[in-house]
Amino acid sequence: MRGSDILTIAGKQFRSRLFVGTGKYPDFAIMEKALAASGTEMVTVAVRRVNLDRTQESLLDYIDLKKYTLLPNTAGCYTADDAVKYARLAREVGMSNWVKLEVIGDQRTLFPDNEELLKATKILVKDGFVVLPYTNDDPVFAKKLEDAGAAAVMPLGAPIGSGLGIRNPHTIAIILQNARVPVIVDAGVGTTSDASIAMEMGADGVLMNTAIAGAKDPVKMAEAMRKAIEAGRLAYEAGRIPKKAYASASTTMDGMIE
């Protein structure tokens, strides 16, 4: 069995296994309410898309840093050099030395560029960052990122924002079996069942944005996702019954009087 009720990444403990993004909400006020309803303790912020000039309104004004751990991300970066630059910028302005590392290889699918992602991971780990790379659901490459010093690996369930759920559960399962660091399923979640499935498989956590922010009622969906993550984790810890090809009576005939 992986982990415990407490998720530990790079020595930092989290009670919530749901990580939530801050993009695509109708407005900052709804984002703030959704974060609270989700029960999350870590929120991601795209460095390229946030107003770092604190003299003007910014989504950072709506994130209580006493309540949430900030996880800057390098969304929108297509090269290792670009991703490293924005990770360092986030650290310089006091956001965090943690980074959700994204290096995109294709504008249409938003799939990661493995070569550039591994390069950026090595540079940032050496530079003292806690690196959580967003990667393809490739067990071999996930191991390479772990060996490069990633504090966790974050394989995609499906393309970003697609809402398709976990498309390749077999490969995610292999990553979970082999990883010595936490595995956070990232991207592709559409509804609560997707999140619960990820947790039932043994994922250490799930990161999502669009599934909450794009819902008709983001606040209600955030609460639903919190409950789905908790239920999925409990089911995983409880241990499901084996699957069988044929029926198995709940009440046996043993000892019954004919």
Side-chain angles (χ1 to χ4, degrees), residues 211-226:
I212 294 176
K216 291 181 179 178
D217 188 328
V219 179
K220 284 187 177 179
M221 184 60 81
E223 181 182 357
M225 289 297 187
R226 173 178 62 79

PDB file of all heavy atoms in Angstrom, residues 211-226:
ATOM      1  N   ALA A 211     -11.695  20.989 -14.926  1.00  0.00           N
ATOM      2  CA  ALA A 211     -12.857  20.233 -14.457  1.00  0.00           C
ATOM      3  C   ALA A 211     -13.651  21.002 -13.409  1.00  0.00           C
ATOM      4  O   ALA A 211     -14.876  20.870 -13.321  1.00  0.00           O
ATOM      5  CB  ALA A 211     -12.413  18.889 -13.886  1.00  0.00           C
ATOM      6  N   ILE A 212     -12.964  21.814 -12.628  1.00  0.00           N
ATOM      7  CA  ILE A 212     -13.635  22.641 -11.627  1.00  0.00           C
ATOM      8  C   ILE A 212     -14.000  24.002 -12.207  1.00  0.00           C
ATOM      9  O   ILE A 212     -15.155  24.418 -12.182  1.00  0.00           O
ATOM     10  CB  ILE A 212     -12.751  22.817 -10.376  1.00  0.00           C
ATOM     11  CG1 ILE A 212     -12.567  21.470  -9.668  1.00  0.00           C
ATOM     12  CG2 ILE A 212     -13.358  23.845  -9.423  1.00  0.00           C
ATOM     13  CD1 ILE A 212     -11.638  21.511  -8.477  1.00  0.00           C
ATOM     14  N   ALA A 213     -13.009  24.695 -12.745  1.00  0.00           N
ATOM     15  CA  ALA A 213     -13.227  26.064 -13.221  1.00  0.00           C
ATOM     16  C   ALA A 213     -14.224  26.133 -14.367  1.00  0.00           C
ATOM     17  O   ALA A 213     -14.953  27.126 -14.510  1.00  0.00           O
ATOM     18  CB  ALA A 213     -11.898  26.677 -13.653  1.00  0.00           C
ATOM     19  N   GLY A 214     -14.270  25.086 -15.196  1.00  0.00           N
ATOM     20  CA  GLY A 214     -15.151  25.093 -16.361  1.00  0.00           C
ATOM     21  C   GLY A 214     -16.532  24.529 -16.101  1.00  0.00           C
ATOM     22  O   GLY A 214     -17.382  24.511 -17.006  1.00  0.00           O
ATOM     23  N   ALA A 215     -16.777  24.055 -14.891  1.00  0.00           N
ATOM     24  CA  ALA A 215     -18.101  23.504 -14.552  1.00  0.00           C
ATOM     25  C   ALA A 215     -19.146  24.619 -14.514  1.00  0.00           C
ATOM     26  O   ALA A 215     -18.816  25.797 -14.339  1.00  0.00           O
ATOM     27  CB  ALA A 215     -18.033  22.796 -13.203  1.00  0.00           C
ATOM     28  N   LYS A 216     -20.406  24.258 -14.663  1.00  0.00           N
ATOM     29  CA  LYS A 216     -21.473  25.259 -14.589  1.00  0.00           C
ATOM     30  C   LYS A 216     -21.487  25.937 -13.226  1.00  0.00           C
ATOM     31  O   LYS A 216     -21.779  27.129 -13.117  1.00  0.00           O
ATOM     32  CB  LYS A 216     -22.832  24.601 -14.878  1.00  0.00           C
ATOM     33  CG  LYS A 216     -22.986  24.142 -16.325  1.00  0.00           C
ATOM     34  CD  LYS A 216     -24.359  23.529 -16.556  1.00  0.00           C
ATOM     35  CE  LYS A 216     -24.516  23.094 -18.005  1.00  0.00           C
ATOM     36  NZ  LYS A 216     -25.832  22.452 -18.266  1.00  0.00           N
ATOM     37  N   ASP A 217     -21.172  25.159 -12.190  1.00  0.00           N
ATOM     38  CA  ASP A 217     -21.063  25.709 -10.835  1.00  0.00           C
ATOM     39  C   ASP A 217     -19.716  25.264 -10.264  1.00  0.00           C
ATOM     40  O   ASP A 217     -19.615  24.182  -9.670  1.00  0.00           O
ATOM     41  CB  ASP A 217     -22.210  25.215  -9.957  1.00  0.00           C
ATOM     42  CG  ASP A 217     -22.246  25.909  -8.595  1.00  0.00           C
ATOM     43  OD1 ASP A 217     -21.172  26.268  -8.074  1.00  0.00           O
ATOM     44  OD2 ASP A 217     -23.352  26.082  -8.041  1.00  0.00           O
ATOM     45  N   PRO A 218     -18.664  26.068 -10.442  1.00  0.00           N
ATOM     46  CA  PRO A 218     -17.333  25.673  -9.998  1.00  0.00           C
ATOM     47  C   PRO A 218     -17.242  25.369  -8.510  1.00  0.00           C
ATOM     48  O   PRO A 218     -16.503  24.469  -8.102  1.00  0.00           O
ATOM     49  CB  PRO A 218     -16.460  26.880 -10.369  1.00  0.00           C
ATOM     50  CG  PRO A 218     -17.181  27.535 -11.495  1.00  0.00           C
ATOM     51  CD  PRO A 218     -18.633  27.358 -11.163  1.00  0.00           C
ATOM     52  N   VAL A 219     -17.994  26.091  -7.695  1.00  0.00           N
ATOM     53  CA  VAL A 219     -17.912  25.888  -6.244  1.00  0.00           C
ATOM     54  C   VAL A 219     -18.477  24.518  -5.868  1.00  0.00           C
ATOM     55  O   VAL A 219     -17.881  23.772  -5.077  1.00  0.00           O
ATOM     56  CB  VAL A 219     -18.621  27.025  -5.483  1.00  0.00           C
ATOM     57  CG1 VAL A 219     -18.556  26.783  -3.979  1.00  0.00           C
ATOM     58  CG2 VAL A 219     -17.980  28.373  -5.827  1.00  0.00           C
ATOM     59  N   LYS A 220     -19.622  24.161  -6.429  1.00  0.00           N
ATOM     60  CA  LYS A 220     -20.204  22.850  -6.159  1.00  0.00           C
ATOM     61  C   LYS A 220     -19.310  21.732  -6.695  1.00  0.00           C
ATOM     62  O   LYS A 220     -19.145  20.684  -6.045  1.00  0.00           O
ATOM     63  CB  LYS A 220     -21.595  22.749  -6.773  1.00  0.00           C
ATOM     64  CG  LYS A 220     -22.679  23.485  -6.001  1.00  0.00           C
ATOM     65  CD  LYS A 220     -24.051  23.200  -6.584  1.00  0.00           C
ATOM     66  CE  LYS A 220     -25.143  23.885  -5.757  1.00  0.00           C
ATOM     67  NZ  LYS A 220     -26.494  23.635  -6.321  1.00  0.00           N
ATOM     68  N   MET A 221     -18.737  21.946  -7.866  1.00  0.00           N
ATOM     69  CA  MET A 221     -17.863  20.918  -8.434  1.00  0.00           C
ATOM     70  C   MET A 221     -16.606  20.757  -7.584  1.00  0.00           C
ATOM     71  O   MET A 221     -16.104  19.636  -7.414  1.00  0.00           O
ATOM     72  CB  MET A 221     -17.488  21.252  -9.881  1.00  0.00           C
ATOM     73  CG  MET A 221     -16.658  20.171 -10.570  1.00  0.00           C
ATOM     74  SD  MET A 221     -17.503  18.561 -10.669  1.00  0.00           S
ATOM     75  CE  MET A 221     -18.566  18.847 -12.095  1.00  0.00           C
ATOM     76  N   ALA A 222     -16.106  21.842  -7.050  1.00  0.00           N
ATOM     77  CA  ALA A 222     -14.929  21.762  -6.188  1.00  0.00           C
ATOM     78  C   ALA A 222     -15.218  20.910  -4.957  1.00  0.00           C
ATOM     79  O   ALA A 222     -14.398  20.077  -4.542  1.00  0.00           O
ATOM     80  CB  ALA A 222     -14.495  23.164  -5.760  1.00  0.00           C
ATOM     81  N   GLU A 223     -16.394  21.103  -4.381  1.00  0.00           N
ATOM     82  CA  GLU A 223     -16.786  20.299  -3.220  1.00  0.00           C
ATOM     83  C   GLU A 223     -16.943  18.835  -3.617  1.00  0.00           C
ATOM     84  O   GLU A 223     -16.519  17.920  -2.893  1.00  0.00           O
ATOM     85  CB  GLU A 223     -18.087  20.820  -2.627  1.00  0.00           C
ATOM     86  CG  GLU A 223     -18.544  20.047  -1.407  1.00  0.00           C
ATOM     87  CD  GLU A 223     -19.879  20.528  -0.842  1.00  0.00           C
ATOM     88  OE1 GLU A 223     -20.430  21.512  -1.385  1.00  0.00           O
ATOM     89  OE2 GLU A 223     -20.352  19.916   0.128  1.00  0.00           O
ATOM     90  N   ALA A 224     -17.536  18.604  -4.782  1.00  0.00           N
ATOM     91  CA  ALA A 224     -17.720  17.240  -5.270  1.00  0.00           C
ATOM     92  C   ALA A 224     -16.369  16.549  -5.489  1.00  0.00           C
ATOM     93  O   ALA A 224     -16.201  15.369  -5.158  1.00  0.00           O
ATOM     94  CB  ALA A 224     -18.519  17.253  -6.572  1.00  0.00           C
ATOM     95  N   MET A 225     -15.417  17.273  -6.043  1.00  0.00           N
ATOM     96  CA  MET A 225     -14.091  16.700  -6.279  1.00  0.00           C
ATOM     97  C   MET A 225     -13.385  16.377  -4.966  1.00  0.00           C
ATOM     98  O   MET A 225     -12.687  15.366  -4.856  1.00  0.00           O
ATOM     99  CB  MET A 225     -13.244  17.656  -7.121  1.00  0.00           C
ATOM    100  CG  MET A 225     -13.675  17.766  -8.570  1.00  0.00           C
ATOM    101  SD  MET A 225     -13.529  16.187  -9.457  1.00  0.00           S
ATOM    102  CE  MET A 225     -13.917  16.731 -11.136  1.00  0.00           C
ATOM    103  N   ARG A 226     -13.562  17.230  -3.976  1.00  0.00           N
ATOM    104  CA  ARG A 226     -12.973  16.941  -2.655  1.00  0.00           C
ATOM    105  C   ARG A 226     -13.496  15.611  -2.125  1.00  0.00           C
ATOM    106  O   ARG A 226     -12.721  14.769  -1.655  1.00  0.00           O
ATOM    107  CB  ARG A 226     -13.305  18.063  -1.674  1.00  0.00           C
ATOM    108  CG  ARG A 226     -12.865  17.749  -0.243  1.00  0.00           C
ATOM    109  CD  ARG A 226     -13.153  18.904   0.702  1.00  0.00           C
ATOM    110  NE  ARG A 226     -14.573  19.223   0.812  1.00  0.00           N
ATOM    111  CZ  ARG A 226     -15.438  18.535   1.551  1.00  0.00           C
ATOM    112  NH1 ARG A 226     -15.035  17.461   2.242  1.00  0.00           N
ATOM    113  NH2 ARG A 226     -16.709  18.906   1.604  1.00  0.00           N
TER     114      ARG A 226
END
